[in-house]
Amino acid sequence: MKNIIALFAVLLPLSSHALTWKVVGPCSETPLYEGTVQADLKKTAGALTIEIFEAAKVPYYGVEEGISSINDSPVGLDAMEVISDTEMRAYGWCYSINGQVPLAMPHKTFIKSQDDTLVWFYGYSTNKNNQWLDMCMPGFKIKAKQFCQK
């Protein structure tokens, strides 16, 4: 019994935890890209994102401060959805850690554990009567026609 406990104590540190990462587009909750990586927890979410995307060959435009396009997703006016004369949605790439959208930009946010999950998702913010009503709502929940037509 002592041998089993000793063996377990030696092997336990070898069990690896790894950061889970995903990229979710505007039309489906199914990730476009996903994986796990041994993350340097001294680096910001933004720095880790760039490293992950480069290693996984995710086609993106962006920097540690934020991602503007993945898979040639629309940017600028092409990323706007006009709902009415008084309402619109502005789309872009948002990130979450363990299901929570941080208020800070990715170059100011740190991953705390190898067991965390980092998700980049195509989200939107709604403006109605010149007031922003929400922020970083997952686009796949509404599947805007301009992004999800087949």
Side-chain angles (χ1 to χ4, degrees):
M1 183 66 165
K2 287 181 184 179
N3 289 342
I4 292 174
I5 292 172
L7 181 62
F8 181 71
V10 169
L11 293 178
L12 186 59
L14 298 178
S15 65
S16 65
H17 296 278
L19 174 72
T20 299
W21 64 272
K22 300 176 185 179
V23 175
V24 178
C27 304
S28 172
E29 194 171 1
T30 302
L32 301 170
Y33 304 94
E34 62 185 327
T36 58
V37 64
Q38 205 57 45
D40 180 348
L41 300 180
K42 294 177 185 158
K43 294 185 178 181
T44 65
L48 289 171
T49 294
I50 299 302
E51 285 182 9
I52 290 166
F53 286 4
E54 291 289 327
K57 299 193 181 333
V58 174
Y60 76 97
Y61 297 101
V63 292
E64 292 179 21
E65 288 81 358
I67 301 298
S68 58
S69 181
I70 298 174
N71 280 355
D72 290 322
S73 60
V75 297
L77 291 177
D78 292 333
M80 302 289 182
E81 176 188 17
V82 176
I83 298 167
S84 71
D85 289 343
T86 60
E87 187 175 0
M88 60 158 278
R89 291 188 189 110
Y91 287 82
W93 288 96
C94 299
Y95 75 106
S96 67
I97 299 172
N98 300 328
Q100 300 296 314
V101 176
L103 293 177
M105 298 297 284
H107 71 293
K108 302 263 184 177
T109 305
F110 289 86
I111 303 294
K112 292 183 172 59
S113 166
Q114 296 293 343
D115 294 322
D116 287 350
T117 300
L118 172 64
V119 177
W120 280 89
F121 62 95
Y122 203 61
Y124 66 88
S125 297
T126 307
N127 186 296
K128 187 170 186 173
N129 297 318
N130 292 322
Q131 289 195 331
W132 292 103
L133 305 178
D134 49 30
M135 179 184 86
C136 283
M137 305 303 293
F140 66 82
K141 290 188 176 183
I142 59 172
K143 297 179 176 75
K145 289 180 185 175
Q146 72 191 63
F147 307 118
C148 302
Q149 289 182 18
K150 291 207 173 194

